[in-house]
Each structure stands twice: as C-alpha cells, then as structure tokens.
Amino acid sequence: MVRAELDGWAGDFAANQSCGDVTVLFDRVVLRHLPRIEAFLARGLIFTVLAHAITRAGV
C-alpha cells in the first residue's frame, strides 16, 4: 500500500516539474508537496526512499 501511494505521489511530483515548456524550480515543487513529504516522514520513511521514488518517476 505504501509503495503504491509513494509511487503515485512521486508521479505527481514529477508532473509538477514543468508547466508547459517552462521548468519549475525544484524548491517550489518541494514546497508544494511539503505536507505529503512530512506525512511520509511521519510514517517512518526516510528522504532516501523519497528520492528513489521521484527518480523512478523521472525527476
């Protein structure tokens, strides 16, 4: 369950990396997704797991 939720979030994160043909700053994407990131961390995931998920999603 966590893997599917994490992969879904990572896909959303990757989709927010661009707006049309403009690349959105990584910092802004992180801020937009900060509540979800904090929720994953509260559930015991670590930043390395999050980084691998967004890498798999194409970031």
Side-chain angles (χ1 to χ4, degrees):
M1 180 69 167
V2 172
R3 174 72 183 257
E5 183 180 353
L6 182 61
D7 287 344
W9 165 78
D12 293 342
F13 189 96
N16 290 156
Q17 281 294 119
S18 64
C19 182
D21 37 335
V22 176
T23 301
V24 178
L25 294 174
F26 186 80
D27 299 5
R28 291 190 181 180
V29 178
V30 169
L31 286 174
R32 182 177 297 151
H33 288 267
L34 196 55
R36 291 288 303 276
I37 292 170
E38 290 174 336
F40 284 128
L41 295 175
R43 291 167 68 180
L45 297 177
I46 59 175
F47 281 106
T48 304
V49 173
L50 302 178
H52 284 292
I54 62 174
T55 300
R56 281 194 311 273
V59 175

